[in-house]
Amino acid sequence: MKSRCFAKPDEEDLPVIPTAEEKKSRYAAARERLHALWAGEPDAIARMAGAACVLHEAMPHAFWTGFYRVVGGQLVIGPYQGTPGCSRIGWGKGVCGAAWATGETQVVLDVHEFPGHIACDGRAESEIVVPVRDGRGEVIAVFDVDSTERAAFDEVDRVELEGIFAGWGEA
């Protein structure tokens, strides 16, 4: 695959969005791998680094997968895979800030229609952001995934990613 940093991708280079069944299979394998990586690892940043890598590999339709951590009243970029992201995002700002403020997963089929969308990378067309909670139920981070394809994320992604991060705070 050619580098997409400065050139428009050729049509044959565009990511293929997996079918619902393919997504479920990929997420099941990722969940198994992550639970093994996370076993006995109490450090949240180490766990985030593993998750960003494993889930990036599991989602061929994503060009950015990673975390924004709640630090001092802002979301601060954490471990990720992909191009440079925004360093800081405010409460309620953009898709990540909305997920943090509402405590609910945001599935955005077309980021250009999302009020206040923050374009950290202009190639983003769709996005999913999942709140990650500690053992007290507080949102400590959000897991953000961007795609160059519109409508790349759906209910399958929401359910599977929420399931992967459901037990995060129990470690």
Side-chain angles (χ1 to χ4, degrees):
M1 182 179 278
K2 297 177 186 173
S3 171
R4 295 188 194 163
C5 293
F6 302 104
K8 185 175 180 180
D10 294 334
E11 196 158 311
E12 67 269 8
D13 287 341
L14 293 176
V16 175
I17 300 170
T19 66
E21 289 309 310
E22 289 169 336
K23 284 181 179 184
K24 289 176 185 177
S25 175
R26 288 172 172 273
Y27 284 124
R31 180 183 295 110
E32 185 176 317
R33 189 168 171 205
L34 286 171
H35 288 199
L37 277 173
W38 293 343
E41 179 52 69
D43 186 81
I45 293 176
R47 295 171 73 211
M48 288 177 189
C53 180
V54 168
L55 290 167
H56 190 75
E57 291 175 358
M59 294 185 278
H61 54 302
F63 75 88
W64 202 96
T65 56
F67 292 86
Y68 282 94
R69 301 171 301 116
V70 177
V71 178
Q74 292 183 312
L75 291 174
V76 178
I77 197 166
Y80 71 92
Q81 299 282 310
T83 58
C86 297
S87 296
R88 295 175 182 271
I89 298 173
W91 170 265
K93 303 294 182 187
V95 181
C96 291
W100 177 29
T102 64
E104 296 176 0
T105 298
Q106 305 292 306
V107 179
V108 181
L109 303 179
D110 182 347
V111 297
H112 306 291
E113 294 182 7
F114 189 90
H117 175 256
I118 300 169
C120 298
D121 186 315
R123 295 176 301 149
E125 294 292 334
S126 63
E127 184 170 4
I128 184 169
V129 181
V130 180
V132 178
R133 300 175 188 281
D134 66 11
R136 299 179 315 251
E138 298 291 322
V139 176
I140 58 161
V142 297
F143 181 70
D144 179 23
V145 186
D146 295 341
S147 178
T148 58
E149 300 298 307
R150 286 199 174 131
F153 307 106
D154 57 22
E155 186 69 6
V156 171
D157 298 287
R158 184 189 67 75
V159 168
E160 294 293 337
L161 288 170
E162 286 178 353
I164 285 170
F165 291 110
W168 181 270
E170 298 168 12

